[in-house]
Amino acid sequence: MKKEIESKLDKISDAWNSYIFKYEFCFKRLKGNSDLRTNYFGDLMGYFDDTLDIAFESVPPNREDYTSTFSFNISFLQSLYIQQDFIEELLIIFKTGITKGDLKKNPDYNENRDLRNELVGHPIRKNKGELISSTLFSYQAKKGVIEYMRYHKENSFNFETKSYNIDDIRRAHFNFLCHYLDKIISSIKKELRVFLKQLNTILNVLKTDSFKQILDVAQNYFEDIFEAEYCFEKETLLHIYEKRDSHPRYQHVIRRFLEYLEESVLETQNDIKIFCEDKKLVPDFIENSPINIIFKKASELLPEELEKAKKVNFNYEIGKLFTERTEQYEFFSNLLKTEFKDDSTILAELYHMESNRFIKGEYYSALKYMSTLIRKQYP
């Protein structure tokens, strides 16, 4: 039971992190408020996960150990109650249209909630000072059974014993969770299918010649692309695009951005189809491997490590230049100047980076172009 619930919760969390919170278009579709921009959703899902062991895997103690039995009953019933509240909150967040009134019509919800309220929430219940009921856990309950004594106004306060099998309580709660988690996932799928179609707008605009229009559409529906690489910020790209005819380095960045945008949209669409259809699909493309940035200090780099790094496309040195760390820039720049002292094209990019070190568009367009030239020499 626990694994099935975990799988559904993971699916909801994946959708939230990968699409709903990530893209403003999806977030606005849910009419997300300022609360949802905090860690509120993450806290909710984390607390839900933390209570799963209590709800589905905790083992009732022997009935002779009354204190442990008492603690188990309270924590067990309270964990179900908490998860019911979390489901109610998730139904609201994902705009399912299901209300608390609808939940109350579900016996798997009602019976467990009433049991918790009677034993944990209000063991002595009054209404306007008038006694309604009182309850007390039984000392004689068998293992795996929640049993209690009850005195209730509706029974003229005559003594009665009520008994519930813990496995039955769990099964009802499991059915409740599965039913409404599936409703939530269905609502998410509906929204993601809208997003899936909207992403076609980007693919269509890529066929036009208007670079600014491409950036505007990406900003509206796929803004995460602007954080994918150092020189992919919108204003930086506009700066580079204006200079596209003056040097190949600028053309290289624009071409790379357009390719990466198309690849990312196709990949996202493919992932959404996988999510919505609950099956594996063949990827539309295989993305090129990015540069592997290593955050090891230059002083810690042994000669044999440096030699090894040079044999793998100079990823280490290039990675250090991408981080633009002031105290190490000269060291790694000079290494490449020495290595490529006879290559005027690569040297030109290194010197362009040096003279435009704090102009993002210039620095990173030269660095990306140079790294491509190096890869061609050392595939």
Side-chain angles (χ1 to χ4, degrees):
M1 287 193 228
K2 179 190 171 187
K3 286 185 177 180
E4 187 168 344
I5 299 302
E6 283 179 327
S7 177
K8 294 178 187 296
L9 290 174
D10 287 344
K11 198 171 181 69
I12 292 169
S13 293
D14 287 345
W16 178 266
N17 294 325
S18 298
Y19 310 109
I20 296 167
F21 192 73
K22 190 174 183 179
Y23 297 107
E24 191 68 16
F25 175 82
C26 297
F27 191 78
K28 286 182 176 179
R29 289 276 305 175
L30 289 181
K31 298 180 175 62
N33 56 36
S34 58
D35 291 343
L36 289 177
R37 293 195 185 278
T38 68
N39 200 43
Y40 156 65
F41 179 83
D43 290 343
L44 186 156
M45 296 300 284
Y47 202 166
F48 206 139
D49 186 66
D50 287 343
T51 54
L52 286 178
D53 281 346
I54 302 173
F56 292 108
E57 293 194 347
S58 54
V59 178
N62 294 322
R63 67 190 181 102
E64 291 81 8
D65 187 352
Y66 178 74
T67 302
S68 296
T69 300
F70 182 77
S71 298
F72 168 85
N73 290 340
I74 289 179
S75 61
F76 173 67
L77 292 174
Q78 188 64 16
S79 70
L80 308 191
Y81 182 86
I82 289 169
Q83 290 180 3
Q84 287 181 339
D85 282 356
F86 286 163
I87 287 292
E88 183 184 350
E89 193 66 24
L90 289 171
L91 290 168
I92 294 170
I93 290 172
F94 292 105
K95 305 296 179 185
T96 62
I98 298 172
T99 66
K100 188 164 188 172
D102 296 320
L103 296 183
K104 289 180 177 179
K105 297 174 184 177
N106 186 321
D108 291 331
Y109 170 90
N110 255 343
E111 292 175 11
N112 283 349
R113 198 167 184 88
D114 288 347
L115 178 61
R116 176 268 174 192
N117 284 339
E118 192 160 58
L119 285 173
V120 181
H122 309 285
I124 296 177
R125 186 164 43 162
K126 290 185 177 182
N127 182 25
K128 296 180 180 179
E130 182 183 359
L131 181 66
I132 303 298
S133 67
S134 64
T135 60
L136 181 67
F137 279 106
S138 171
Y139 288 85
Q140 306 300 322
K142 297 178 182 178
K143 183 177 181 179
V145 173
I146 292 178
E147 185 177 274
Y148 63 101
M149 288 82 77
R150 179 177 184 256
Y151 301 85
H152 200 286
K153 180 181 178 181
E154 66 185 18
N155 194 32
S156 301
F157 295 106
N158 290 318
F159 168 81
E160 58 182 326
T161 300
K162 301 190 71 78
S163 181
Y164 296 85
N165 188 288
I166 290 172
D167 287 340
D168 292 340
I169 296 172
R170 274 194 171 127
R171 193 173 299 108
H173 185 62
F174 172 76
N175 292 337
F176 164 78
L177 292 182
C178 282
H179 178 74
Y180 289 105
L181 287 174
D182 284 343
K183 294 286 187 185
I184 292 163
I185 291 171
S186 178
S187 181
I188 291 171
K189 287 180 178 180
K190 180 181 177 181
E191 293 303 325
L192 290 185
R193 289 190 181 102
V194 174
F195 184 47
L196 180 68
K197 292 180 180 179
Q198 201 64 48
L199 290 177
N200 285 326
T201 306
I202 299 176
L203 298 178
N204 291 332
V205 81
L206 281 170
K207 301 173 185 177
T208 71
D209 294 326
S210 174
F211 187 68
K212 186 178 185 304
Q213 185 181 5
I214 292 171
L215 294 184
D216 288 342
V217 173
Q219 182 71 58
N220 289 335
Y221 304 117
F222 207 66
E223 66 274 21
D224 186 64
I225 193 72
F226 298 115
E227 298 180 10
E229 295 190 14
Y230 287 102
C231 54
F232 281 6
E233 290 181 1
K234 188 175 180 181
E235 292 305 315
T236 301
L237 286 169
L238 287 171
H239 168 85
I240 293 171
Y241 186 74
E242 289 299 317
K243 305 184 74 173
R244 65 192 182 281
D245 295 327
S246 64
H247 195 280
R249 74 170 72 93
Y250 306 114
Q251 297 169 17
H252 175 74
V253 172
I254 297 303
R255 189 182 306 112
R256 174 59 188 146
F257 171 76
L258 295 176
E259 290 173 351
Y260 189 80
L261 176 60
E262 183 177 28
E263 290 171 357
S264 298
V265 169
L266 289 172
E267 183 180 32
T268 300
Q269 287 183 317
N270 189 63
D271 289 343
I272 290 174
K273 290 174 185 176
I274 292 172
F275 182 95
C276 291
E277 298 175 23
D278 296 311
K279 64 180 182 180
K280 295 288 184 182
L281 298 179
V282 178
D284 293 326
F285 67 92
I286 298 176
E287 187 177 352
N288 294 327
S289 298
I291 291 174
N292 182 27
I293 299 176
I294 305 169
F295 294 98
K296 189 172 181 180
K297 293 181 180 179
S299 58
E300 297 174 354
L301 186 64
L302 300 174
E304 57 268 27
E305 290 181 302
L306 181 58
E307 186 61 30
K308 182 179 179 181
K310 288 181 180 180
K311 292 179 180 178
V312 288
N313 299 347
F314 298 91
N315 283 348
Y316 186 84
E317 295 92 329
I318 293 171
K320 285 298 183 181
L321 294 180
F322 265 106
T323 63
E324 201 179 353
R325 295 172 70 180
T326 304
E327 68 275 13
Q328 296 187 10
Y329 171 81
E330 296 294 341
F331 177 82
F332 290 101
S333 178
N334 288 334
L335 282 177
L336 291 174
K337 285 177 184 176
T338 301
E339 184 66 34
F340 296 100
K341 61 181 183 297
D342 297 325
D343 191 318
S344 60
T345 305
I346 291 177
L347 283 178
E349 297 311 296
L350 283 166
Y351 285 118
H352 187 82
M353 290 163 55
E354 190 172 298
S355 58
N356 293 278
R357 188 138 163 230
F358 300 105
I359 302 175
K360 187 172 289 188
E362 298 296 331
Y363 180 88
Y364 285 115
S365 59
L367 178 52
K368 286 186 68 64
Y369 183 54
M370 181 193 71
S371 64
T372 299
L373 294 174
I374 292 175
R375 284 197 186 100
K376 287 180 178 179
Q377 292 189 38
Y378 298 87

